Amino acid sequence: MLLPRRLCSLVGGFLLLFLCFFYVLDHYDYQYDSHLAVVGPEYPTRESPQDRPWPRSLAHTRPILNDTSWATAHLENNDTAFSEYRKSMPCKKKYWRCNSSVPTDPEPPPEVLQELEAFGGSDPSSSPMLDAPLWTQYADRGYTVIGRNETAARRLPHVLIIGAKKSGTRALLAFLRVHPSIRASGPEVHYFDRFYSRGLSWYRSKLPLSLEGQLTVEKTPAYFTTPGVPARVKMDLPSCRLLLVVRDPVTRALSDYTQSLSKHRARRPFEEMAFVKSSPGLVNSEWGPISGGLYARHLQRWLDHFPRSSIHVVSGENLIKDPAVELCRVQEFLGLRRVITEKHFFFNVTKGFPCLVKREKSGRPHCLGSSKGRSHPEVSRETYNILRDFYRPFNYKFYKMIGQNFRW
Ligand code: A3P
């Protein structure tokens, strides 16, 4: 009688220990969840990329450490930065909550404020805010509502990824497609900028079949910068939600130029195109790769037609560093159940970018193609600094408009 009782308490003790062990493991994972943790210059101190441009040539050599070693390395090197970073890690798998307290813009320095005044434009705080979510009729809260009446149809978009070009729009679309409540067109449709005269039935024919309860998403980054598009979108899709991916405009300009090179549209060196010929050092703000990064200017056109609350801004940098967090916020914005989490991503060291563990259709690992994640041409430090100074007032204006500071 004594023996079985002892045995029982021994087994019970082991069981308790076992449970504690798993609890600690789980907790640890929650605290340091960073399967995409990459030891790279952009991570530990969270310095702005202006101080240390993206070392593209190192992309292949950046090691991925597991959670523990990454945490340890950073705790040793930069305790405060690490705990700050950890605090800012939203969308914990345990609590399913996105950190909606995105950093707001501190007042820009006085000299920049002066430049802002000179730049003009309306006060973004006067942009009308929505009282209630626009589209509870589509929202998929808590469970996946698909196909209540099982009729597949080609529906006009509920969501548009409007830009910005070369900021990670394809990655965002590819990641969103994993969600069962999302249906998205593959190629860019260019309806509102190029083919508007073809009419809505043409547009509809280019969109995928979807079931009731699914959201149709279309992505054409040229929408963001094309004047006249916001008014058209407002007219045809008045309650549409808009996703805007943005990235450091200097890097974006280089990425845009690299794409032009690959299509043989640009033949002259970047510096020759980026500056006005007659006055070296004067930035050519009319040149596409430069003007595409004047986010404040383009966004103002959208805010003339859409309330701020129907536009969600995605950080292109964070989409690379921590796609799960950005996707968490996007799903929240779209009123979707948080299906896409960190489990859906892995970091491909060869590619130097996060990829999907499973593509939505094939179920196989999927990285974006070779046209995404190209090496950019080197530019001199001087060029870099001139461009940075050029963009600064526009960036501040943009931060003010969206209430979010990207620290570019
Ligand atoms: P680069 O090719 O200059 O690096 P878009 O899809 O809007 O054209 O943006 C392309 C950019 O998306 C790429 O620019 C790359 O930096 C960025 N990007 C973000 N996430 C990515 C991912 N998971 N895989 C590849 N590129 C990604």
Side-chain angles (χ1 to χ4, degrees):
M1 206 56 196
L2 199 67
L3 195 70
R5 219 186 267 172
R6 279 231 174 114
L7 203 68
C8 276
S9 51
L10 210 69
V11 170
F14 270 123
L15 214 66
L16 207 69
L17 259 173
F18 196 68
L19 285 175
C20 285
F21 175 68
F22 272 100
Y23 175 80
V24 169
L25 257 192
D26 189 33
H27 183 72
Y28 190 82
D29 186 27
Y30 161 65
Q31 289 281 306
Y32 302 133
D33 70 340
S34 181
H35 69 300
L36 292 175
V38 177
V39 174
E42 72 281 11
Y43 243 129
T45 56
R46 310 185 90 211
E47 263 180 53
S48 86
Q50 78 196 61
D51 302 322
R52 291 201 276 187
W54 180 266
R56 308 196 64 80
S57 53
L58 293 182
H60 302 290
T61 56
R62 275 179 290 153
I64 301 182
L65 304 182
N66 62 29
D67 295 348
T68 324
S69 46
W70 183 76
T72 322
H74 286 74
L75 276 172
E76 274 167 16
N77 293 343
N78 198 332
D79 207 313
T80 338
F82 176 70
S83 52
E84 234 184 77
Y85 170 73
R86 207 179 50 194
K87 264 189 260 156
S88 73
M89 283 292 291
C91 202
K92 302 302 182 192
K93 62 181 177 187
K94 243 182 177 171
Y95 302 109
W96 294 118
R97 197 160 283 167
C98 296
N99 184 0
S100 50
S101 57
V102 279
T104 46
D105 187 25
E107 269 301 289
E111 67 278 9
V112 178
L113 268 178
Q114 269 172 11
E115 281 182 76
L116 278 177
E117 300 288 316
F119 174 72
S122 65
D123 178 8
S125 58
S126 65
S127 159
M129 297 297 282
L130 289 183
D131 294 335
L134 271 174
W135 61 359
T136 36
Q137 73 266 36
Y138 305 120
D140 167 15
R141 295 202 179 276
Y143 57 96
T144 310
V145 191
I146 297 177
R148 264 167 298 207
N149 68 14
E150 293 301 329
T151 7
R154 292 187 197 281
R155 293 171 168 87
L156 291 177
H158 307 103
V159 185
L160 288 182
I161 300 177
I162 54 173
K165 187 181 173 195
K166 305 314 295 172
S167 294
T169 54
R170 175 59 61 186
L172 177 63
L173 188 75
F175 298 163
L176 265 180
R177 292 174 97 136
V178 170
H179 201 292
S181 297
I182 296 281
R183 298 287 289 125
S185 56
E188 293 169 8
V189 182
H190 285 279
Y191 172 65
F192 290 104
D193 61 323
R194 280 192 212 154
F195 303 119
Y196 196 61
S197 58
R198 297 187 182 183
L200 277 176
S201 50
W202 176 87
Y203 188 29
R204 200 186 287 273
S205 73
K206 298 290 167 200
L207 296 167
L209 286 169
S210 67
L211 296 169
E212 195 188 326
Q214 286 182 312
L215 301 179
T216 301
V217 183
E218 195 246 311
K219 155 190 122 76
T220 301
Y223 291 164
F224 184 53
T225 50
T226 313
V229 166
R232 288 174 174 179
V233 175
K234 182 69 185 176
M235 197 155 69
D236 293 339
L237 310 171
S239 58
C240 183
R241 291 238 155 167
L242 307 170
L243 295 174
L244 172 66
V245 193
V246 287
R247 143 193 223 189
D248 180 340
V250 182
T251 329
R252 202 216 66 83
L254 284 167
S255 175
D256 205 349
Y257 170 74
T258 309
Q259 171 156 298
S260 309
L261 276 184
S262 74
K263 293 184 175 170
H264 308 291
R265 280 202 300 252
R267 287 169 204 277
R268 289 191 283 149
F270 180 84
E271 271 97 343
E272 247 183 63
M273 311 280 280
F275 299 113
V276 177
K277 227 190 221 158
S278 49
S279 2
L282 189 65
V283 176
N284 178 4
S285 62
E286 299 303 312
W287 185 45
I290 297 290
S291 68
L294 301 173
Y295 301 138
R297 190 171 279 179
H298 304 303
L299 182 67
Q300 189 56 60
R301 281 198 299 268
W302 287 88
L303 288 177
D304 290 343
H305 298 273
F306 284 89
R308 167 72 187 94
S309 54
S310 58
I311 306 172
H312 177 74
V313 183
V314 175
S315 156
E317 282 87 9
N318 212 33
L319 196 61
I320 298 171
K321 282 190 224 166
D322 206 333
V325 167
E326 285 307 318
L327 266 290
C328 179
R329 291 178 182 147
V330 171
Q331 289 169 98
E332 188 172 77
F333 170 72
L334 298 181
L336 293 172
R337 182 163 66 103
R338 281 170 212 132
V339 169
I340 309 164
T341 66
E342 66 267 28
K343 289 196 201 95
H344 289 89
F345 305 100
F346 70 98
F347 192 90
N348 184 316
V349 186
T350 318
K351 174 103 182 141
F353 285 93
C355 300
L356 284 168
V357 172
K358 280 184 189 173
R359 199 186 193 149
E360 85 287 2
K361 277 183 188 149
S362 70
R364 292 216 296 271
H366 172 63
C367 294
L368 298 194
S370 55
S371 65
K372 306 292 172 186
R374 296 179 178 118
S375 296
H376 299 169
E378 296 273 324
V379 290
S380 68
R381 171 54 62 182
E382 198 195 347
T383 298
Y384 198 81
N385 288 340
I386 295 175
L387 291 178
R388 183 145 303 289
D389 291 345
F390 166 76
Y391 278 119
R392 188 165 295 118
F394 296 97
N395 290 346
Y396 270 113
K397 168 116 180 138
F398 179 65
Y399 303 155
K400 210 167 173 211
M401 289 166 110
I402 61 166
Q404 209 172 334
N405 186 348
F406 289 102
R407 300 186 173 87
W408 293 316

